[in-house]
Amino acid sequence: MSDIVYIRGLRADAVIGVYEWEHHVRQTLVIDVEMRFSTRAAAASDALADALDYHAVATRVREIVEGNTLQLIEGLAERIAGARIAEFGIGWLRLTLAKPGAVPWAEEVGVVIARGMP
């Protein structure tokens, strides 16, 4: 199976960071996620029940980010990836989690993780 369902540029606000001031403000994070999922059944039936519901995935990602209690984006990325695989039956995903403005002289910094079987 080589189909990929993706979400790019998903924005969600979180309290995240290692500095004291970061514990008192919400910062916008940007998430991209690619998920391996066969689209054949959905293409044949034209039914949402046969598709990976990207609206439901995006909503769940936002819930995880907005309810975050971690300091590091690495841990948050792992939580998001684990939830996607467990809740939506995704066998593989690649997740990019960016923190714009974290380093003043960079547009953004972040992590890219891949989980599951390619």
Side-chain angles (χ1 to χ4, degrees), residues 40-68:
R40 288 181 184 185
S45 70
D46 199 33
L48 179 58
D50 292 328
L52 178 58
D53 185 345
Y54 48 80
H55 185 272
V57 172
T59 298
R60 186 67 179 113
V61 169
R62 286 180 51 91
E63 289 172 355
I64 293 168
V65 171
E66 291 173 355
N68 178 59

Side-chain angles (χ1 to χ4, degrees), residues 18-36:
V18 297
Y19 300 110
E20 178 60 30
W21 68 267
E22 292 181 297
H23 302 171
H24 307 286
V25 299
R26 297 191 75 73
Q27 299 180 68
T28 300
L29 303 178
V30 181
I31 303 103
D32 295 339
V33 61
E34 295 180 7
M35 301 158 284
R36 181 150 296 140

